[in-house]
Amino acid sequence: MKRIGGLFDLLYQRSNLSLAAWSAAKGKRNRPEVRRFFSAIDSQLNRMSADLQRQAYRFSPYRQFAIRDPKSRIIHAPSFRDRVLHHAIINVAGRVFERGAIEHSYACRQGKGLHAALRQARSWTRRTLWYGKMDVRRYYDSIDHQVMLGLLAGRFREQRLLRLFADVLDSHHQSPGKGLPIGALTSQYLANFLLDTVDHAVMQTGLARHYLRYMDDMIVWCDDPAALLQLRTQVARQLATLGLRLKHGGEWNRCSQGVPMLGFVVYPDRVRLGKQGRKRLRRKLRAVRQGEVSGKLDPIQAQQQLTSVFAHAAWSDDHAWRRSVLAVHAWGERPE
């Protein structure tokens, strides 16, 4: 694939940085850090542009905090100024990452996304006998910076841009020379890009009837269970070249038993919200109810949050279960 140049001069243009600032501020305009940035936006963007041109931009430390969704994860959030730069990088480099992606890679791509992946999985599960599900052990923490830079050098030609990518990677280490911060926009795109080589390796075997990936969740569908074991070997071998390992060796079963995927379980005739997804929904629902009781949420705000909470779950066919959960919210009873 031909390497791409001419992007770095687009990166530091005021128009790109301004677009990045407004994108980074979505849903965050009331935060003090964001208000301070926009109160002097002209000087902020001018300084960013000058620093980038001189290759003198320095990243600030990440803000670290834990979330439970439902398992605990450590988030490393960049400063708002750095967040703007992450958006600016993706504005100019995103289309280059897109060029190497297979059709059924669904993360960080316009027109794709989680729900499109779920629709496709539902169609394939109806028509196939066996599935194999694989994901990467401690994926974000295990990403090797030098491996990533080598792959980026095969896609981007400009040394200035490659040095900036090196600075992005060097701004966070989970262990020496490894790790991407969960919470930075560039991390999502880089992590998705890294596994393009695995996608192409799977497709070239000709063993999978269907194959789909959402970030590091990889699912294959086959009518021959023996092919799944060969595919697992191929995926493990390809991951090893990237310094990565499969988690627990993968999961293999008949499609009739349900394909676990992105918080759902996809059966040939229906889709159900998975166990962890149900826990997450109940927890969010309790938070809305507590907000009502404490007076922090008025009825309109509570209804808006309820709509948001159930929007994701509505992709499943669990209508009766969702009604029972709503009954708990309304009357305080516990569903079976």
Side-chain angles (χ1 to χ4, degrees), residues 165-239:
F165 275 124
D167 289 342
V168 170
L169 294 170
D170 196 47
S171 67
H172 172 82
H173 295 267
Q174 187 63 30
S175 59
K178 291 187 176 182
L180 292 181
I182 299 175
L185 181 65
T186 52
S187 295
Q188 299 172 38
Y189 280 81
L190 291 172
N192 194 49
F193 159 71
L194 182 64
L195 294 183
D196 281 355
T197 58
V198 178
D199 297 340
H200 290 285
V202 170
M203 300 299 291
Q204 287 168 10
T205 65
L207 295 170
R209 182 174 176 185
H210 305 294
Y211 170 74
L212 177 154
R213 180 171 66 83
Y214 189 95
M215 198 55 74
D216 67 316
D217 285 347
M218 297 165 279
I219 306 177
V220 292
W221 285 261
C222 294
D223 289 325
D224 178 8
L228 294 174
L229 300 180
Q230 297 179 58
L231 283 165
R232 178 176 63 180
T233 300
Q234 178 65 36
V235 168
R237 184 181 299 124
Q238 191 65 34
L239 287 174

Side-chain angles (χ1 to χ4, degrees), residues 31-181:
R31 296 184 181 180
E33 182 185 25
V34 180
R35 289 202 301 267
R36 286 195 299 270
F37 186 94
F38 275 88
S39 69
I41 187 169
D42 286 336
S43 61
Q44 290 277 10
L45 297 183
N46 286 338
R47 185 158 60 91
M48 286 184 68
S49 180
D51 287 348
L52 288 166
Q53 290 181 65
R54 294 185 295 110
Q55 298 179 67
Y57 189 95
R58 297 294 178 265
F59 288 89
S60 302
Y62 289 85
R63 180 172 61 89
Q64 180 177 310
F65 58 93
I67 63 169
R68 189 171 180 83
D69 190 30
K71 63 182 181 181
S72 295
R73 292 190 299 167
I74 301 298
I75 303 298
H76 293 86
S79 68
F80 184 73
R81 184 171 186 260
D82 290 350
R83 189 182 296 274
V84 171
L85 179 54
H86 288 292
H87 277 265
I89 292 170
I90 296 307
N91 285 349
V92 299
R95 62 183 176 86
V96 181
F97 292 130
E98 176 74 18
R99 293 178 64 200
I102 64 169
E103 179 181 0
H104 294 295
S105 172
Y106 284 87
C108 303
R109 299 181 65 198
Q110 189 172 6
K112 299 288 185 178
L114 186 151
H115 295 144
L118 192 64
R119 283 195 298 269
Q120 187 61 72
R122 188 171 189 169
S123 173
W124 287 342
T125 301
R126 290 193 190 112
R127 298 184 274 123
T128 318
L129 296 177
W130 294 83
Y131 78 89
K133 180 179 183 296
M134 300 163 282
D135 56 351
V136 180
R137 181 178 180 274
R138 294 175 58 85
Y139 182 44
Y140 273 72
D141 290 347
S142 302
I143 290 174
D144 187 286
H145 294 179
Q146 290 306 311
V147 171
M148 179 69 77
L149 288 172
L151 291 172
L152 289 168
R155 194 66 64 87
F156 299 94
R157 188 173 68 241
E158 293 172 282
Q159 289 303 309
R160 291 180 299 171
L161 184 57
L162 291 171
R163 280 194 291 270
L164 181 59
F165 275 124
D167 289 342
V168 170
L169 294 170
D170 196 47
S171 67
H172 172 82
H173 295 267
Q174 187 63 30
S175 59
K178 291 187 176 182
L180 292 181

Side-chain angles (χ1 to χ4, degrees), residues 70 263 271-286 313 316-319 321-322 324-325 336:
V271 175
R272 301 197 67 185
L273 194 63
K275 181 179 178 180
Q276 298 301 327
R278 291 183 178 213
K279 286 183 178 179
R280 184 184 300 114
L281 187 144
R282 285 193 180 103
R283 187 174 64 253
K284 291 181 177 179
L285 195 60
R286 285 195 296 270
S316 73
D317 299 314
D318 296 325
H319 307 294
W321 179 82
R322 293 200 299 273
S324 71
V325 172
E336 298 295 332

